[in-house]
Amino acid sequence: MKALLRKETGLFVLLVVVCAYTAIRSPNFISLANIVNESRLIGMYGIFSIGLGMVIITGGIDLSVGSMFALLGVVLAMLLNAADNTWPWPFAWMNGRYLTWPFAVAATIGLGSLLGAFHGFLITRVKLQPFIVTLCGLLLYRGLARYMAQDDDKGFHEAKGFEFLKNFAKGDVFGIPMPFVMLIVLSIVMWFVLHRSVYGRHLLAVGRNEEAARYSGINTKRIIAGTYILSGFLAAIAGILFAFDTNSVSPSMSGNFYELYGIAAAVLGGCSLRGGEGSIVGIILGTILLQILQNLVNILHIPSSLNFAVMGAVILLGVLADQLLSNRRKPRTSVEALKR
């Protein structure tokens, strides 16, 4: 716990330093418009990063989130505009139907949770590796999204019939963007789940040593599967926000490499890829730092093609820091103790 607190403190100090440097290089960084825009992005990225962080705490990984955004965005747009769409087989029964927006939202979130449950089933029951399962999902969901949309962008037009939903997703509360407000609410809930509930203790125990947790009476399969369902649920919420933020969904481009942002935020925030360690506060700080770094790249006029290099460097530094801290915490062997 102390090591995790030190990580969060160090990350917070680093965040303050980066913000100060960015503000000095560009006073526009602290302008109201930029702060609002950054908080909106932090909200959307932070929501699905929490889900990815929970999966990583169990020692798993989810590479399919970006493709899920494309598939769920296409499904949402087609459901909201069902009366104007011609659905391909085997979805032809939807042709010409008009659906209310609550059903469309519920179906989208339900589909995200169902995909997460599918991942959990394959990982816990069929005993497939999380990397393989979610890598296949990355390819499968992207291809399915392109097929359903027939490789055309799906937009929301004038949002006729679902103006409230669009205004809610793109709205604000006392000037604070709705995605950021939702992130704060979800963060509070997930903080209690991870750090103050029996489920959270079991989750950390499974991540540290799944076999020992199973022998102690913990239903490890249910715990692991639950994290993938949660990841799919939060990905669906974030996917809806992303879809309305851009006002259209491109089945071939939407969500590309977004899973890397989530993984980088979680790792940077102290979630160990070995499992058994992580915090909600750390994930949020990692998300904020990552978005500030992206802003810094733009301010310094660094080519956008280097964004992925920044992602790779962040993940590498996070893993190196985790390795160094892990080595320092390892107990001394009896031989080492005798030598001392």
Side-chain angles (χ1 to χ4, degrees):
M1 189 68 181
K2 290 182 179 179
L4 193 58
L5 183 59
R6 285 197 297 269
K7 280 186 179 181
E8 293 174 355
T9 303
L11 188 59
F12 179 75
V13 172
L14 178 60
L15 179 60
V16 171
V17 171
V18 172
C19 288
Y21 175 77
T22 308
I24 292 172
R25 291 297 302 267
S26 175
N28 290 332
F29 173 74
I30 55 176
S31 66
L32 181 61
N34 189 64
I35 292 174
V36 170
N37 184 59
E38 284 298 297
S39 60
R40 178 178 53 82
L41 292 172
I42 289 168
M44 292 187 292
Y45 281 94
I47 289 172
F48 75 86
S49 294
I50 290 175
L52 277 171
M54 298 291 278
V55 169
I56 290 173
I57 289 173
T58 67
I61 199 74
D62 191 346
L63 302 176
S64 65
V65 169
S67 295
M68 285 177 65
F69 287 156
L71 176 59
L72 296 174
V74 166
V75 169
L76 176 68
M78 295 182 74
L79 286 175
L80 290 174
N81 299 303
D84 302 322
N85 283 311
T86 301
W87 288 65
W89 184 92
F91 309 100
W93 63 276
M94 292 295 303
N95 291 340
R97 294 175 180 268
Y98 176 77
L99 300 172
T100 60
W101 67 261
F103 174 83
V105 171
T108 302
I109 295 177
L111 177 59
S113 303
L114 184 62
L115 294 177
F118 178 60
H119 295 164
F121 172 78
L122 292 178
I123 291 166
T124 60
R125 301 294 179 177
V126 188
K127 303 294 183 182
L128 297 180
Q129 291 295 320
F131 180 87
I132 298 300
V133 170
T134 56
L135 177 63
C136 292
L138 181 151
L139 301 173
L140 176 63
Y141 305 148
R142 179 73 60 183
L144 189 57
R146 296 181 65 175
Y147 170 73
M148 291 179 63
Q150 299 177 359
D151 259 342
D152 291 331
D153 290 357
K154 295 297 179 180
F156 298 102
H157 310 298
E158 292 81 19
K160 185 177 180 180
F162 53 93
E163 294 87 352
F164 174 83
L165 176 61
K166 184 175 182 179
N167 292 334
F168 178 83
K170 302 188 70 171
D172 60 78
V173 178
F174 301 113
I176 304 173
M178 185 57 68
F180 192 79
V181 174
M182 294 177 66
L183 173 63
I184 296 301
V185 174
L186 287 171
S187 297
I188 294 172
V189 173
M190 293 309 303
W191 186 88
F192 278 100
V193 170
L194 181 60
H195 301 292
R196 290 293 183 271
S197 72
V198 174
Y199 176 82
R201 292 196 294 272
H202 288 179
L203 181 67
L204 292 168
V206 170
R208 292 190 185 101
N209 191 320
E210 182 181 348
E211 187 175 358
R214 184 170 61 252
Y215 282 126
S216 67
I218 297 174
N219 190 332
T220 57
K221 293 180 179 179
R222 184 180 299 173
I223 294 294
I224 294 173
T227 61
Y228 284 93
I229 296 173
L230 177 64
S231 179
F233 172 80
L234 294 179
I237 293 176
I240 293 172
L241 295 175
F242 275 116
F244 279 109
D245 184 63
T246 57
N247 206 39
S248 65
V249 180
S250 171
S252 61
M253 296 299 296
S254 293
N256 265 350
F257 300 107
Y258 279 26
E259 60 276 354
L260 296 184
Y261 288 87
I263 293 171
V267 172
L268 193 60
C271 293
S272 174
L273 290 173
R274 297 181 182 84
E277 187 173 344
S279 72
I280 301 301
V281 173
I283 295 171
I284 300 305
L285 289 175
T287 303
I288 295 173
L289 180 57
L290 211 56
Q291 290 304 315
I292 298 302
L293 287 174
Q294 291 292 311
N295 202 340
L296 180 60
V297 167
N298 295 331
I299 288 173
L300 297 180
H301 302 293
I302 297 174
S304 59
S305 56
L306 289 176
N307 280 349
F308 293 125
V310 173
M311 292 295 101
V314 167
I315 295 175
L316 179 60
L317 290 174
V319 173
L320 283 174
D322 177 60
Q323 179 66 40
L324 292 174
L325 289 172
S326 177
N327 289 340
R328 290 182 61 183
R329 291 197 301 266
K330 283 182 179 178
R332 297 187 183 93
T333 64
S334 56
V335 174
E336 290 173 335
L338 288 172
K339 286 181 179 179
R340 293 181 62 87

